[in-house]
Amino acid sequence: MMELSTLKQFLVVARLEHLSRAADELHVAQPSLSRSIARLESELGAPLFDRSGRLRLNDAGTLFRDHVERALGELEAGRRAVAEATSEGVGTVRLASETFLTLTGPLAAYKRAHPSVEIELHWSLAEDMARRLRAQEVDLCVASQPIHAEGLQSVQLFEEAVGVCVPLDHPLAGRTSVSIDELADQPFITARKGHWLRRLLDRLFAARDLTPKIVCESDEHSAIAELIKAGLGIGLVPAFARRADTPAPIAWIAVDSPDCRRTVTLHWGAGSHLSAAARLMRTTITGWNWITL
């Protein structure tokens, strides 16, 4: 009989495709985790991983993972539905996003309107969002790059231009627009791989058979403008951040490319039970007066 703990362990191993890192995350001994996965494969009558060289989830493992995510997600949804039905108020909402700067307005309005609701904010890469929604680890996701996955519903919130910021004494500072070719040899300050800002930068340059010269990768996205201000490089910055931040002594220049834009989209699971709190959050975000550029 499959145990819930074993299925949860399998999902972590499937996500990381690395036994020692999975064991560290789960706080279990690696030999014990290996035995749990082996017993699960024996019970299923098929290997779930290819073990020639690096551990890889195989086709059977991928198929099983999708079912386990949905099954555990339904159990979590049931637990939350019972908690919601037997408690006062509207409960908890769990929102994941690549950046919360974009969402400060609707989040503040939601909290004012529903002060008893507990809001959980989860930073997440877009590539993890479909899995987290299927597993019902989160209720809603806001992504700044496309999510290609089945079983999701979505609403586009807004689309905006992404420009390049340079120090005021930079040779390009007086320009109203600039081409990607003109940026080819410039030092870039940007986000780490996987973040929408970095993917956009790599995509724009790859379309011209170029590679950006990256001098700094930062997880502190609020620091990017300060590093540009200090003269350490230039960087892509969305128009929303340009409006939302306190004006810094840097110049924002339009990029002469129709692809230098981001589309911000709200996602949720197509078959998921959304709590009253999550439905109210969805209404607040989709009904927000987004300013688009």
Side-chain angles (χ1 to χ4, degrees):
M1 182 69 178
M2 296 179 192
E3 297 182 356
L4 286 178
S5 59
T6 301
L7 295 176
K8 291 176 180 178
Q9 289 176 345
F10 162 71
L11 288 181
V12 175
V13 177
R15 171 165 52 86
L16 297 176
E17 293 185 319
H18 198 285
L19 274 172
S20 63
R21 288 205 295 267
D24 289 342
E25 182 173 316
L26 291 163
H27 305 293
V28 299
Q30 182 176 330
S32 174
L33 180 60
S34 297
R35 288 193 294 271
S36 293
I37 298 301
R39 283 196 299 270
L40 179 62
E41 291 177 318
S42 176
E43 187 170 352
L44 290 169
L48 301 173
F49 297 90
D50 291 330
R51 293 174 170 83
S52 55
R54 179 182 170 184
L55 190 72
R56 296 280 188 182
L57 193 68
N58 60 24
D59 290 343
T62 300
L63 180 66
F64 187 61
R65 178 202 62 193
D66 293 345
H67 283 279
V68 172
E69 284 179 345
R70 287 194 296 269
L72 294 185
E74 283 302 311
L75 287 174
E76 172 60 17
R79 185 195 66 78
R80 297 185 75 227
V82 170
E84 181 183 344
T86 57
S87 64
E88 296 181 359
V90 289
T92 302
V93 57
R94 303 161 302 169
L95 174 67
S97 181
E98 295 173 281
T99 173
F100 291 102
L101 175 64
T102 307
L103 298 167
T104 52
L107 286 175
Y110 183 91
K111 193 61 180 177
R112 287 194 300 270
H114 311 287
S116 63
V117 175
E118 181 179 344
I119 302 173
E120 295 181 10
L121 300 178
H122 301 260
W123 182 83
S124 179
L125 291 172
E127 62 194 34
D128 292 331
M129 288 182 177
R131 176 191 62 79
R132 300 191 74 176
L133 287 170
R134 284 195 301 266
Q136 300 198 43
E137 295 177 3
V138 295
D139 303 304
L140 305 165
C141 290
V142 176
S144 296
Q145 55 186 296
I147 298 179
H148 303 292
E150 296 181 357
L152 301 184
Q153 289 185 285
S154 62
V155 171
Q156 180 176 317
L157 301 177
F158 66 91
E159 184 181 1
E160 67 169 350
V162 176
V164 62
C165 278
V166 303
L168 289 180
D169 59 356
H170 193 279
L172 295 173
R175 297 277 295 274
T176 57
S177 66
V178 64
S179 69
I180 298 297
D181 290 331
E182 292 176 288
L183 301 175
D185 296 322
Q186 294 291 328
F188 270 88
I189 299 168
T190 188
R192 292 184 184 272
K193 285 185 177 296
H195 189 274
W196 75 267
L197 196 64
R198 176 63 176 275
R199 286 188 170 178
L200 175 60
L201 177 64
D202 290 342
R203 188 166 63 248
L204 290 170
F205 273 67
R208 293 158 179 80
D209 293 323
L210 299 171
T211 301
K213 179 183 177 183
I214 296 171
V215 297
C216 177
E217 295 178 334
S218 177
D219 285 331
E220 300 180 80
H221 301 126
S222 61
I224 291 178
E226 290 300 318
L227 293 171
I228 295 171
K229 171 185 168 183
L232 298 178
I234 68 174
L236 295 180
V237 175
F240 195 100
R242 175 194 178 197
R243 295 192 306 272
D245 284 342
T246 301
I250 54 179
W252 190 90
I253 308 166
V255 176
D256 187 16
S257 169
D259 299 321
C260 197
R261 302 182 69 81
R262 73 161 173 165
T263 301
V264 179
T265 306
L266 176 68
H267 300 270
W268 63 93
S272 302
H273 167 78
L274 288 180
S275 66
R279 294 194 300 272
L280 287 169
M281 177 66 80
R282 181 176 62 187
T283 299
T284 300
I285 293 175
T286 57
W288 189 251
N289 184 25
W290 299 103
I291 300 173
T292 58
L293 294 177

